[in-house]
Amino acid sequence: MSEQSNSTHRKAHVVVLGGGYAGTMAANHLRLRTDVDITLVNPRPQFVERIRLHQLAAGTGTATADYGTLLGKGVRLVVDTAGHIDAAARRVLLTSGAALDYDYLIYAIGSTGAAPVAVPGAAEYAHVLSELEGAQKLRYALADLRTEAPVTVVGGGLTGIEAAGELGEQGRAVTLVCGGILGPSLSGPGRRSVAKQLRKLGVNVLESATVTEVRWDSVVLGDGTTLPSAVTVWTAGFGVPDLAARSGLRTDSLGRLLTDETLTSLSDDRIVAAGDAAAPSNQPLRMSCQAAIPLAAQAANTVLSRIAGTAPAVLDQAFTGQCISVGRSFGTVQLARRDDTPVNLYIGGRTAASIKELVCKGTLWGLRKEAAKPGWYRWLKGGDRPADLSAEQQAALR
């Protein structure tokens, strides 16, 4: 029997964990049905634009928005943190001591980053850009730093590139240390575009270099070289909170919730995942708001289908590319196939910077539009997904 048939007795209650890009979209999209109570749980009272945290740190922009402008009418915001999911009881225990009962749960707690404890001094002396508080601390540290003081950014991925570019444009002496090649997710031409723009900003790029120690005033590289560093920024690698694993739910090796192709947890069909913390068929999509927002709409659709007693659709979404800012004036838009593999086409320079800014603004605009008109949001489909897992593979995951 569907929950629709019981609607005269009680509305279905859906709890959404995480108020980032995925959680906010999921909560708004759930409002396609008027007979659903929606609770969004988030540790902060404001929405964080993670794609702007490098701007916040550099003092060139803000990175928060008011949930009052982003959430649809009737979505209840609870400022708290989920400490444990009791799937058997359908209850979320919050760190404040409160508890929330649910009929369905959308797991959208996102990703996080931290300096690795395995690198001596990194946890003590390196700043991270993955969270609002880390970006704020980095901003304070930079505000007290003379412009010519050396800054080291560790990690040659998109976050590292954007941080290095933002600081380099301010005339700071920035060294970008890449564990391998610069921008490994880019094509050769796209990578050369980024490298050219970084050179124009005076950023010193060290490829195939590793940091083996972080000190209060320097970093030590794998070949023994010591680089002076008044401020060190660690952007290498992202992880996910361990909530699912601590709650006894099946996860992949990184801790993302394992789901089937409808984004339903392999451990409990009342739990659906979206965003960076989801691993559909053990083949997670690239951590990005470009992936998270369509995942969220589809996760919400899965829940709505279950409430209606119909079969949920399987995951179907595609990528278009990657937008990278290199300071406020330059950028690179790396075009990609629908399966997210890059092609040898890109847009560079000021045009790309304008496109990136439009994308950032458009992301919040889209969340607000979905809040005002649930079901408005559409996403690109037709991306390649791995073949359905065999019964043996499903059994192994379980």
Side-chain angles (χ1 to χ4, degrees), residues 91-116:
R91 177 173 297 168
V92 178
L93 306 179
L94 306 178
T95 55
S96 65
L100 291 172
D101 293 325
Y102 64 83
D103 294 296
Y104 291 94
L105 180 74
I106 295 183
Y107 188 85
I109 61 173
S111 58
T112 187

Side-chain angles (χ1 to χ4, degrees), residues 195-267:
K196 179 181 178 180
Q197 294 170 30
L198 288 174
R199 283 196 302 271
K200 286 183 177 180
L201 297 178
V203 176
N204 179 31
V205 178
L206 300 180
E207 293 189 292
S208 300
T210 57
V211 173
T212 57
E213 184 182 358
V214 179
R215 300 171 181 170
W216 70 273
D217 63 348
S218 62
V219 297
V220 180
L221 303 182
D223 62 2
T225 303
T226 299
L227 299 177
S229 183
V231 168
T232 300
V233 186
W234 199 282
T235 69
F238 282 87
V240 297
D242 64 351
L243 174 61
R246 286 189 288 106
S247 301
L249 302 174
R250 299 296 299 169
T251 67
D252 69 1
S253 59
L254 194 64
R256 289 170 288 216
L257 187 67
L258 282 171
T259 76
D260 63 16
E261 286 292 295
T262 70
L263 298 173
T264 302
S265 167
L266 296 183
S267 300

Side-chain angles (χ1 to χ4, degrees), residues 41-91:
V41 180
N42 193 65
R44 303 177 190 85
Q46 73 270 59
F47 178 90
V48 176
E49 289 186 84
R50 290 187 70 181
I51 55 179
R52 290 196 187 273
L53 286 177
H54 61 289
Q55 290 182 250
L56 174 64
T60 58
T62 59
T64 58
D66 183 359
Y67 275 118
T69 70
L70 293 176
L71 292 176
K73 183 179 179 181
V75 177
R76 175 192 176 203
L77 175 65
V78 174
V79 181
D80 211 325
T81 302
H84 182 77
I85 300 169
D86 186 344
R90 296 181 196 163
R91 177 173 297 168

Side-chain angles (χ1 to χ4, degrees), residues 29-367:
H29 198 71
L30 286 167
R31 294 175 59 251
L32 277 167
R33 289 183 67 110
T34 59
D35 59 345
V36 177
D37 285 329
I38 307 160
T39 300
L40 178 68
V41 180
N42 193 65
R44 303 177 190 85
Q46 73 270 59
F47 178 90
V48 176
E49 289 186 84
R50 290 187 70 181
I51 55 179
R52 290 196 187 273
L53 286 177
H54 61 289
Q55 290 182 250
L56 174 64
T60 58
T62 59
T64 58
D66 183 359
Y67 275 118
T69 70
L70 293 176
L71 292 176
K73 183 179 179 181
V75 177
R76 175 192 176 203
L77 175 65
V78 174
V79 181
D80 211 325
T81 302
H84 182 77
I85 300 169
D86 186 344
R90 296 181 196 163
R91 177 173 297 168
V92 178
L93 306 179
L94 306 178
T95 55
S96 65
L100 291 172
D101 293 325
Y102 64 83
D103 294 296
Y104 291 94
L105 180 74
I106 295 183
Y107 188 85
I109 61 173
S111 58
T112 187
V117 295
V119 177
E124 293 84 0
Y125 301 119
H127 295 266
V128 294
L129 263 180
S130 56
E131 302 288 348
L132 175 64
E133 293 77 12
Q136 290 171 330
K137 289 179 181 178
L138 176 56
R139 181 171 184 169
Y140 300 146
L142 291 168
D144 295 333
L145 198 67
R146 67 186 191 277
T147 303
E148 64 271 20
V151 176
T152 303
V153 178
V154 183
L158 304 191
T159 304
I161 290 169
E162 294 196 323
E166 206 74 25
L167 298 175
E169 191 175 55
Q170 297 179 337
R172 295 190 180 276
V174 181
T175 297
L176 177 60
V177 181
C178 310
I181 61 174
L182 175 70
S185 63
L186 307 177
S187 66
R191 190 174 302 117
R192 288 191 290 273
S193 170
V194 168
K196 179 181 178 180
Q197 294 170 30
L198 288 174
R199 283 196 302 271
K200 286 183 177 180
L201 297 178
V203 176
N204 179 31
V205 178
L206 300 180
E207 293 189 292
S208 300
T210 57
V211 173
T212 57
E213 184 182 358
V214 179
R215 300 171 181 170
W216 70 273
D217 63 348
S218 62
V219 297
V220 180
L221 303 182
D223 62 2
T225 303
T226 299
L227 299 177
S229 183
V231 168
T232 300
V233 186
W234 199 282
T235 69
F238 282 87
V240 297
D242 64 351
L243 174 61
R246 286 189 288 106
S247 301
L249 302 174
R250 299 296 299 169
T251 67
D252 69 1
S253 59
L254 194 64
R256 289 170 288 216
L257 187 67
L258 282 171
T259 76
D260 63 16
E261 286 292 295
T262 70
L263 298 173
T264 302
S265 167
L266 296 183
S267 300
D268 191 287
D269 62 8
R270 294 285 180 140
I271 300 175
V272 180
D276 290 354
S281 299
N282 206 18
Q283 297 289 333
L285 283 69
R286 172 168 54 87
M287 291 184 177
S288 63
C289 66
Q290 183 181 172
I293 294 175
L295 281 169
Q298 292 172 95
N301 282 341
T302 290
V303 170
L304 295 175
S305 293
R306 292 263 162 71
I307 294 173
T310 60
V314 297
L315 177 61
D316 184 6
Q317 71 183 74
F319 287 86
T320 58
Q322 301 168 67
C323 295
I324 310 138
S325 63
V326 187
R328 293 296 84 212
S329 301
F330 298 95
T332 295
V333 176
Q334 170 66 67
L335 303 180
R337 301 180 183 89
R338 293 193 176 199
D339 65 358
D340 203 28
T341 56
V343 298
N344 290 329
L345 293 174
Y346 72 91
I347 302 169
R350 295 182 183 276
T351 300
S354 298
I355 293 172
K356 172 63 186 293
E357 181 60 22
L358 285 173
V359 168
C360 291
K361 290 180 178 178
T363 300
L364 286 191
W365 180 85
L367 293 176

